Amino acid sequence: EGKYTDWRRVCKSGAAPVPTKRIGINADYLAGAGKACAALGASKYNGVRITLHGESESILCKPDSLPVGITEAAVVVMPMRL
């Protein structure tokens, strides 16, 4: 298994969401995050919780539910300038 950056250090996982009027997101990255969350999730609806912390901060995507045995899963997407 590879080494991955600790996502908690990359994004503000414990901070409260910040109201964000506009944010740029690469559509391919967002689609990939959705597919990853769907693969990890236990719900048949493939819901994704997206948390924003400002227009220049990382975007946290989490499946709406997880299967038994998985306690935490997240996908981090970096914003882009529009």
Side-chain angles (χ1 to χ4, degrees), residues 24-37 48 50 59-61 74-81:
I25 304 172
N26 179 308
D28 292 332
Y29 294 166
L30 188 59
K35 287 178 184 177
C37 286
V48 178
I50 297 175
I59 302 152
L60 184 61
C61 305
V75 178
V76 179
V77 178
M78 295 307 294
M80 62 182 281
R81 289 189 181 124

Side-chain angles (χ1 to χ4, degrees), residues 1-54:
E1 180 151 342
K3 285 192 157 209
Y4 300 96
T5 303
D6 183 2
W7 62 269
R8 290 168 204 85
R9 293 182 63 204
V10 176
C11 64
K12 299 177 178 181
S13 64
V18 173
T20 306
K21 290 184 178 185
R22 179 178 168 177
I23 191 166
I25 304 172
N26 179 308
D28 292 332
Y29 294 166
L30 188 59
K35 287 178 184 177
C37 286
L40 290 167
S43 169
K44 67 178 182 178
Y45 301 109
N46 297 330
V48 178
R49 252 182 262 126
I50 297 175
T51 306
L52 304 175
H53 292 101

